[in-house]
Amino acid sequence: MKLRGLYAITDSQLLAGKFLSYVEAALEGGVTLLQYRDKSSDEARRLREAEALRDLCERYKTQLIINDDAELAARLNVGVHLGQTDGPLSPTRALLGRDAIIGSTCHAQLGLAEQAAKEGASYVAFGRFFNSNTKPGAPTCSLELLDQARQQLHLPICAIGGITLDNAAPLVAHGVDLLAVVHGLFGAESTAEVTRRARAFNELLKI
Ligand SMILES: Cc1ncc(COP(=O)(O)OP(=O)(O)O)c(N)n1
Ligand SMILES: Cc1ncsc1CCOP(=O)(O)O
Ligand SMILES: [Mg+2]
């Protein structure tokens, strides 16, 4: 399967009280990957929410990715996204199997992406590209790095950090396959607007 399109990422604070309705609205508009990102340590709630997302994703034929937690991903038989301090890639590939989607945060460093590719990542993520409400302190990344990454890597490239419908086009022009978005999607005022934004992101990627 070609990994290209909108990569929607949940945020527990932003989606409080409207979690499943907003996620379903995004899926309705088209989502290639959906990441469950919850930084709390409430294991019971995390399991419950991740299971609900897995069921929703099955209905919409969307791939679910769990942030940070390879054990939870293995339990649900879905993919995982690992940052540089979230555990090693190779054993995670062994745990989840060769068909699982495993993403790797590479900040603004091509060397990290080359290493991730060697260790079996399915996609590499660069960013942040713009000011981010969700993670203001994330290191910044340039469009030039995307050009180099496109030339040197043979993996889908994901961009993250402050992406909106107004600023995403240059990322696509510089070779991005996956647009990873929290606020630019789920910061919408209504479910109808979430669906409209999801469709519009996909239109930028022409899928
Ligand atoms: C698609 C995608 N890219 C990058 C990240 C950031 O991962 P990480 O650096 O581990 O930071 P946290 O998201 O865990 O705070 C991501 N989650 N998804
Ligand atoms: C998790 C993460 N890693 C780098 S920026 C970011 C947050 C993305 O959220 P937003 O789309 O709201 O900037
Ligand atoms: Mg992480």
Side-chain angles (χ1 to χ4, degrees):
M1 190 202 50
K2 194 160 179 345
L3 287 182
R4 185 173 170 85
L6 174 61
Y7 188 166
I9 302 184
T10 67
D11 178 290
S12 307
Q13 279 80 48
L14 187 62
L15 292 175
K18 51 190 184 186
F19 187 71
L20 287 181
S21 61
Y22 265 47
V23 170
E24 184 159 11
L27 298 183
E28 196 66 50
V31 170
T32 299
L33 300 180
L34 174 74
Q35 182 182 124
Y36 177 53
R37 182 172 181 273
D38 175 283
K39 304 300 283 186
S40 81
S41 51
D42 184 342
E43 297 299 325
R45 184 170 55 83
R46 283 168 54 74
L47 177 60
R48 205 171 54 242
E49 289 185 345
E51 280 176 339
L53 291 184
R54 183 197 51 190
D55 295 348
L56 206 49
C57 283
E58 274 173 13
R59 271 181 39 218
Y60 283 86
K61 305 207 180 329
T62 295
Q63 304 277 342
L64 179 62
I65 309 292
I66 306 290
N67 189 41
D68 293 340
D69 191 342
E71 298 298 325
L72 181 56
R75 184 163 174 178
L76 298 185
N77 197 24
V78 299
V80 71
H81 183 92
L82 296 178
Q84 289 300 318
T85 57
D86 297 327
L89 262 163
S90 302
T92 303
R93 171 59 68 202
L95 175 72
L96 297 184
R98 54 166 222 196
D99 293 336
I101 298 174
I102 303 179
S104 174
T105 298
C106 301
H107 302 298
Q109 297 176 48
L110 265 187
L112 291 179
E114 278 160 0
Q115 186 60 29
K118 275 194 207 129
E119 292 181 23
S122 313
Y123 68 84
V124 288
F126 296 106
R128 70 184 158 93
F129 283 91
F130 308 103
N131 292 335
S132 169
N133 285 322
T134 310
K135 197 154 183 175
T140 56
C141 188
S142 69
L143 292 175
E144 289 68 39
L145 183 112
L146 288 177
D147 295 334
Q148 290 169 22
R150 194 69 286 169
Q151 279 174 13
Q152 291 177 33
L153 300 169
H154 304 284
L155 276 183
I157 293 173
C158 173
I160 190 166
I163 298 173
T164 67
L165 282 168
D166 293 333
N167 63 25
L171 299 170
V172 177
H174 286 261
V176 161
D177 301 291
L178 290 161
L179 292 168
V181 189
V182 181
H183 259 263
L185 178 67
F186 290 123
E189 288 293 320
S190 66
T191 52
E193 175 62 8
V194 172
T195 304
R196 186 196 73 79
R197 289 185 189 184
R199 288 205 178 105
F201 275 116
N202 286 313
E203 189 57 32
L204 284 174
L205 289 151
K206 292 279 186 306
I207 67 157

